[in-house]
Amino acid sequence: MRRLIIFGLLCCFAACSTTKHLPSGEVLYIGQKPIVIEQDSVTIVGQTALEEVKASLATAPNNALLGSSRWRIPFPLGLWVYNGFSKYEKGLGRWIFRRFGAKPVLLSAVAPDIRMRAATNLLHDYGYFNGAVSCDTFIHPRDSLKARLQYTVRMGTPVFIDTVEYVGFSPRTDRILKATRRRSQLRPGRQFNVPDLDAERTRVSNLLRNTGLYYFRPDYLVYQADTARTPGPYISLRLTPITGMSAVAEQPFHLGRKSIYLYGRNGQVPTDSLLYQGIRIYYHGSRPYVRPSMLYRWTDYSSFRFKRPQSDSAAEQKSLSRIHDLYSLHRQQRVQERLAQTGIFRTTDISFTPHDTSAQCNTLDVDIRLTPALRYDAELDFNLKLKSNNQVGPGAAFTLSRLNVFGGGERWEVELTGAYEWQTGGGAASSMNSYEYGVSTSLVFPRIMFPRLGDHEYDFPATTTFSLYALQQDRARYYKLLAFGGRATYEFQPQPTHRHSLTPLRLTFNVLRHPTAEFQALQAANPALYASLRDQFIPAMEYTYTYDDTSLQDRRRSSRWWQTTLTSAGNVTSLLYGALGQNLKQREKQLLGVPFAQFVKFNTEFRHHLRLGRRSLLATRVAAGIVWAYGNVQSAPYTEQFYVGGANSIRAFSARSIGPGGYSPTKEETAGYGYLNHVGDIRFEANAEWRFPILGSLHGALFLDAGNVWLMRTDEGRPNGAFRLRDFPRQIALGTGAGLRYDLQLLVFRLDLGIALHDPSRLGQGGGYYNIPRFGDGLTLNFAIGYPF
C-alpha cells in the first residue's frame, strides 16, 4: 500500500507543469550550455581571469546538481511542489509549499546582460582590453517558456607592463620607495592586471606606515596609464599621490604616552590605576588580573626589529634618532598578534590619538583596551574511527582548560581520552578487539621559559609546554601496555615560513602487562618483536624543523612544505650511567631496574603543490626515515618504528599490511598477529596526486603511491625483511587509484579507491610485475577527512 501511495504522489508531481505559474512574459531559466572560449590565454594571469569570468557568469538553475550551472537533477521536485501547492493559503498544503517548494529561477533574474558587462570588465581588469563576452539564448524546442544560455568569451591579446614610475612624493618618501623597488608587485614585462595594481598600492601604503606615516592610506595613491608611449601591447604606469592630499599624510609620527585599560569580565570599566615602566595601567577590582610586567613585555614596541630608512639630511637624521619610537603598522600588528596569541583576551583594541591639537604635533598617544575571556574552557569531542586496517570503533576526548593561571597568559589543560575498536575482517580476526584510555595534563606558557634571554619578549610566536600523560592500551588476546611519561617542549617561529620545535626532555615508560599465552608463543617465534614491546624507559631528545611557504600571499604557481625530525634516545642517560660508576660496556644497562632504549631516529617529509590552473593542482610527496637501535637493545621501541599503508599513505594497501621488505606472513599470522609484524627501521614513500574540479564543491583525484619499510638487521622471524640495495626496486609496493573530494571549506570529505599494482610480499609466487592474483583482491576503499598531503 505504501508503495502505491508513493507511486501515486510521484505521478501527480510528474503531471505538474514547471512553468504553469510563471509571471506573464517571463521564461524559466534551465541552465547554461558549455562556455565557448575564443583566443584562450595560457598565461597564469589569463587562467585566473578566465576562472573569475566563468564564476561571474555561472548561475545555478532549479534542481541544479551540486550547484552546477549546466547539470540538473532530472526530477524538479521543488518546482513541482511550487506549482502544485501555490494555491493553498493555509493548512498542510501551505506548509508543504513553504517547506518544499522552490521559486522558479527566471531568465530576467539571471540578467545575462549585466553578467556579460561584469565579465567583460573582469577581462579588462586582467589586461585583456579588447576582450568581450557575448550571450546567446536557446529556447527549449518543446516548451517556449524554458530557455538555456550560452556565453562566448573572446579574451583577445593581453597587455604587458612597459615602465613603472613613482612621482610626486616628498623627498623622504621618494628615498624610501627607491630603496624598496625590488619588492614591487609591478615590474616591466609582467602582464597588466588590476589585482597587482591594488597589491602595489597596499604595499606602498604599508611601507610608508611602517616608517611613521600613520595617516597614509592606499586611497591616497592613483595610477596614470599610457598605452601610446610604447608601440605594441604595452602600457606605461605612473603611481602618484592624489590631488590635494594633505601634507600630514607624509608626516612621520612618534609614539608618546601609552595607556592600557583592563575591563572587567562583564565589561566593567576600570576603577583604579598604577604606573609601571612608564605605562599607565587602568584596571577593575582590587588588582590587575594580568601581571604588569607581562603587559609591558607584550606591548613593548622597542623589542621589535625595525630597519632604519636612509637619510642624508642632518635634520632628518636627528628626527630618525628616535626611530624606535616611530609609529609602525608592523609593530601595531605584532602587538595585536601577541595579545591574541595569549588566548586570555576576548577583545583587543588599539587606538592612536594626537598628543595635542597643535598644528606642529607629531606625537601619537597609544590606548590599548582589553576585555578578558572566560577563565575556563571545556571541549567534548566524539568521533567514529573507520581505519583502513579494518579497525572500527568510537572514541571520545574531554578537555578542560584554565586560562591565565599565573597572571601571565599561561594555560593549564587536562584531557581525558578513550577509544574502543574491533576488527571487522571476520574469522579469527573478528576477535581482535582493543581499547585504550588515558589522561594527560599540560601547562603552556606563551613565551620561552628556562632560559629567558634578556628582558624583552621575542619578536616571534613562542611557547613553552610542560606535559605529563598516562595511556593504557589493551590489545585483545595478546597484552596490555601502560605508557606514561612527560615532556618539555619549546616551539618558536622566527619567520612566517620557518618553525622550530625543541624537546630537550621526553621521558616515556612502557610497561607490558598481562601477556597472554598466545603472546608468549609469539615472543618465542619473534624475539625482536617482543624486545620492542617489553618494559623499557625511553628517555629522548627531539628537534623538529618545519618549512612552510603556503601562507605567503603571492602569485607563485607552487608551494613547498618540508619537515624534518631528529630524535636521540638514551645517550644522556648512558652518560649519567657512566658518571655514576656503572660499566658502559654492560650488555643491558638499566634505569630503576628497567632497561632503557638507545636509538637515533631521523624522519623527513617533503611536499610540493604545483598549480596547473586556478582549481587544479599536482600534489607530490616524498618521505623517508631511519631508526638505528644500539647499545642496550637491538630493536627500537615498537612506537618508534615505521609502517606504511592506509588512507594517508599507500592507499591500495591497508595500514600495517606492507613489509618489511619482501616479508610474506603465513595465513595464520595474517589472521592473528600479522599486523604487528609489518613495521620496520627504514621507511621510503612517494606519492603523486592530480586534483581537479568536477562540479561545484565536488573534486576528483587520480593518484599513484609507492613505498615500503625495511629492517636494519636480519630477523629470522621475518625473512626477506632486511634492506638490500639490489632488492630495493622490486620490494617497492605500488598502487594507483581515483578518488572524490567534497570540499565544505572547513572540512574535506575524501573517498579513495586504491588499486594495487605490485605487492612485494608476493615476490617469487609467479607472475610478472603485476602480481595481484585477482583484480578484486587489489581494491581498497578508503574514507577519510582532509587531504592525504
Side-chain angles (χ1 to χ4, degrees):
M1 179 61 69
R2 180 180 301 176
R3 293 181 179 180
L4 291 176
I5 294 176
I6 295 175
F7 179 76
L9 290 175
L10 288 176
C11 291
C12 292
F13 282 136
C16 294
S17 170
T18 57
T19 58
K20 180 178 180 181
H21 295 283
L22 292 179
S24 177
E26 293 288 355
V27 176
L28 180 67
Y29 168 73
I30 57 173
Q32 295 180 11
K33 288 191 172 186
I35 296 177
V36 178
I37 309 297
E38 296 180 356
Q39 294 179 284
D40 194 1
S41 176
V42 295
T43 66
I44 294 297
V45 175
Q47 293 300 308
T48 301
L50 187 57
E51 289 290 340
E52 292 199 13
V53 166
K54 289 180 178 179
S56 67
L57 297 175
T59 306
N62 291 103
N63 57 291
L65 178 62
L66 298 175
S68 172
S69 58
R70 291 184 54 194
W71 304 101
R72 298 191 303 158
I73 300 173
F75 302 103
L77 179 62
L79 284 176
W80 287 340
V81 173
Y82 181 88
N83 286 277
F85 288 84
S86 59
K87 60 184 178 181
Y88 293 98
E89 297 182 358
K90 58 182 179 179
L92 179 61
R94 192 62 180 175
W95 179 85
I96 294 176
F97 175 79
R98 291 178 175 177
R99 183 68 179 83
F100 301 103
K103 188 177 180 179
V105 179
L106 304 177
L107 188 63
S108 61
V110 175
D113 292 339
I114 296 177
R115 293 182 182 274
M116 283 190 297
R117 288 195 295 269
T120 300
N121 290 336
L122 280 173
L123 290 177
H124 297 171
D125 288 346
Y126 281 93
Y128 298 89
F129 293 162
N130 55 353
V133 179
S134 59
C135 180
D136 294 316
T137 303
F138 293 85
I139 303 298
H140 194 282
R142 294 188 300 272
D143 192 340
S144 61
L145 295 181
K146 297 179 180 179
R148 288 182 180 271
L149 297 176
Q150 184 173 47
Y151 295 97
T152 299
V153 178
R154 182 175 56 83
M155 300 192 68
T157 304
V159 173
F160 295 89
I161 297 175
D162 180 44
T163 59
V164 182
E165 297 177 312
Y166 300 79
V167 297
F169 297 96
S170 68
R172 178 182 185 273
T173 300
D174 190 59
R175 283 191 292 271
I176 295 174
L177 294 178
K178 288 181 178 179
T180 59
R181 282 293 297 272
R182 68 181 186 277
R183 304 177 187 173
S184 174
Q185 300 291 324
L186 304 178
R187 297 180 183 177
R190 282 192 177 184
Q191 185 171 338
F192 172 90
N193 63 93
V194 171
D196 276 356
L197 268 61
D198 292 338
E200 177 62 8
R201 288 202 314 166
T202 301
R203 184 194 71 86
V204 170
S205 175
N206 291 344
L207 171 67
L208 297 180
R209 296 192 71 192
N210 284 334
T211 58
L213 308 191
Y214 172 74
Y215 287 101
F216 205 94
R217 296 295 184 271
D219 295 340
Y220 294 166
L221 299 171
V222 295
Y223 287 98
Q224 296 175 355
D226 186 358
T227 58
R229 182 174 179 179
T230 304
Y234 293 98
I235 188 170
S236 297
L237 296 175
R238 177 179 292 178
L239 184 64
T240 67
I242 62 173
T243 303
M245 184 180 70
S246 174
V248 74
E250 291 190 84
Q251 176 184 340
F253 278 83
H254 298 272
L255 297 181
R257 173 190 55 81
K258 183 189 296 183
S259 302
I260 299 178
Y261 297 83
L262 298 176
Y263 289 83
R265 301 190 182 279
N266 296 318
Q268 300 95 328
V269 297
T271 56
D272 205 346
S273 68
L274 59 85
L275 188 66
Y276 182 86
Q277 297 287 334
I279 302 177
R280 176 63 63 178
I281 301 175
Y282 299 86
Y283 57 91
H284 174 80
S286 59
R287 60 185 178 87
Y289 59 85
V290 182
R291 297 199 303 272
S293 60
M294 297 308 303
L295 291 172
Y296 175 80
R297 293 175 63 181
W298 293 336
T299 61
D300 181 19
Y301 277 82
S302 63
S303 66
F304 299 115
R305 295 187 298 271
F306 188 79
K307 185 176 180 180
R308 177 182 300 193
Q310 298 296 322
S311 175
D312 297 328
S313 167
E316 207 165 287
Q317 284 285 1
K318 181 178 180 181
S319 174
L320 292 177
S321 63
R322 295 176 55 201
I323 189 67
H324 67 277
D325 288 332
L326 276 175
Y327 168 79
S328 167
L329 176 63
H330 168 71
R331 294 175 177 177
Q332 176 187 345
Q333 292 172 341
R334 286 294 295 118
V335 168
Q336 290 175 317
E337 290 172 2
R338 275 186 182 174
L339 296 173
Q341 287 164 2
T342 64
I344 66 175
F345 301 111
R346 186 169 70 248
T347 61
T348 61
D349 177 69
I350 302 179
S351 60
F352 299 84
T353 56
H355 185 71
D356 56 59
T357 58
S358 66
Q360 295 77 27
C361 177
N362 66 346
T363 302
L364 298 173
D365 292 337
V366 186
D367 293 330
I368 303 176
R369 293 175 172 81
L370 306 172
T371 304
L374 298 176
R375 293 181 180 179
Y376 293 93
D377 183 29
E379 183 177 347
L380 180 62
D381 291 330
F382 286 100
N383 60 74
L384 179 64
K385 298 180 180 179
L386 298 170
K387 296 185 177 180
S388 55
N389 60 351
N390 293 330
Q391 292 288 122
V392 58
F398 175 74
T399 305
L400 179 65
S401 302
R402 169 67 160 88
L403 304 181
N404 200 32
V405 179
F406 306 120
E410 304 85 2
R411 184 176 74 254
W412 177 47
E413 294 182 349
V414 176
E415 183 179 43
L416 303 176
T417 59
Y420 182 80
E421 299 176 353
W422 59 86
Q423 192 82 6
T424 61
S430 62
S431 61
M432 283 296 300
N433 300 337
S434 62
Y435 64 86
E436 62 182 47
Y437 55 87
V439 59
S440 63
T441 182
S442 59
L443 185 60
V444 182
F445 295 84
R447 55 191 178 276
I448 296 295
M449 304 285 293
F450 314 120
R452 174 183 170 186
L453 303 179
D455 295 329
H456 299 308
E457 194 78 1
Y458 292 99
D459 185 22
F460 47 79
T463 60
T464 304
T465 304
F466 302 100
S467 59
L468 298 171
Y469 77 93
L471 179 66
Q472 172 74 48
Q473 297 178 336
D474 182 283
R475 299 303 181 226
R477 297 170 46 203
Y478 291 110
Y479 61 85
K480 292 182 179 180
L481 182 67
L482 174 63
F484 59 90
R487 65 168 59 197
T489 302
Y490 300 94
E491 294 185 352
F492 46 97
Q493 190 170 355
Q495 298 178 25
T497 56
H498 302 272
R499 186 169 65 252
H500 305 266
S501 176
L502 176 63
T503 303
L505 176 62
R506 175 168 66 91
L507 182 62
T508 304
F509 185 26
N510 289 340
V511 181
L512 185 65
R513 305 171 61 239
H514 308 301
T516 64
E518 200 167 353
F519 181 77
Q520 292 173 351
L522 170 62
Q523 169 186 347
N526 196 335
L529 180 63
Y530 168 73
S532 67
L533 285 166
R534 66 176 180 173
D535 295 357
Q536 58 185 317
F537 274 111
I538 309 177
M541 297 184 295
E542 189 171 270
Y543 167 74
T544 299
Y545 167 76
T546 304
Y547 174 84
D548 185 2
D549 64 6
T550 56
S551 61
L552 298 181
Q553 300 297 322
D554 56 24
R555 291 184 175 274
R556 293 179 306 165
R557 293 185 59 188
S558 63
S559 62
R560 290 165 294 273
W561 183 91
W562 177 42
Q563 185 175 85
T564 297
T565 301
L566 180 63
T567 306
S568 174
N571 293 324
V572 175
T573 307
S574 182
L575 292 177
L576 294 176
Y577 195 84
L580 295 176
Q582 302 295 324
N583 183 11
L584 290 177
K585 296 183 180 180
Q586 182 177 338
R587 179 60 181 168
E588 188 174 272
K589 298 179 284 293
Q590 295 185 344
L591 180 64
L592 302 178
V594 178
F596 59 86
Q598 286 184 277
F599 64 86
V600 175
K601 182 179 180 180
F602 175 81
N603 194 28
T604 186
E605 181 175 335
F606 178 78
R607 304 175 185 176
H608 183 264
H609 288 178
L610 177 64
R611 290 203 301 265
L612 305 177
R614 185 181 176 94
R615 301 174 61 194
S616 176
L617 65 84
L618 178 64
T620 56
R621 172 177 65 173
V622 177
I626 184 171
V627 56
W628 172 255
Y630 61 93
N632 252 7
V633 293
Q634 299 299 302
S635 179
Y638 190 80
T639 54
E640 299 291 341
Q641 296 184 38
F642 300 104
Y643 68 91
V644 293
N648 296 322
S649 181
I650 306 175
R651 284 160 279 188
F653 299 85
S654 58
R656 299 181 188 270
S657 65
I658 307 173
Y663 165 65
S664 179
T666 64
K667 293 183 179 180
E668 292 76 12
E669 291 173 339
T670 302
Y673 58 82
Y675 75 98
L676 294 173
N677 282 331
H678 294 293
V679 293
D681 308 313
I682 303 174
R683 171 203 180 199
F684 175 78
E685 186 178 341
N687 312 83
E689 180 173 285
W690 175 38
R691 301 169 185 166
F692 51 88
I694 298 179
L695 283 175
S697 299
L698 184 65
H699 296 71
L702 298 176
F703 55 84
L704 184 69
D705 305 323
N708 204 339
V709 296
W710 293 267
L711 301 175
M712 292 286 290
R713 300 179 175 90
T714 300
D715 183 0
E716 295 181 356
R718 288 176 286 181
N720 300 319
F723 178 82
R724 293 183 179 86
L725 186 59
R726 66 175 183 271
D727 297 330
F728 176 79
R730 61 196 188 103
Q731 288 184 350
I732 292 291
L734 183 66
T736 186
L740 297 174
R741 289 95 172 86
Y742 191 69
D743 191 349
L744 299 177
Q745 301 299 321
L746 296 178
L747 287 177
V748 176
F749 295 98
R750 174 164 55 94
L751 187 66
D752 288 330
L753 177 64
I755 305 173
L757 300 178
H758 181 71
D759 185 353
S761 68
R762 299 189 57 80
L763 292 175
Q765 299 184 22
Y769 184 80
Y770 178 79
N771 57 2
I772 310 301
R774 294 182 303 173
F775 180 78
D777 295 338
L779 299 181
T780 302
L781 189 64
N782 299 281
F783 174 76
I785 295 178
Y787 290 107
F789 51 87

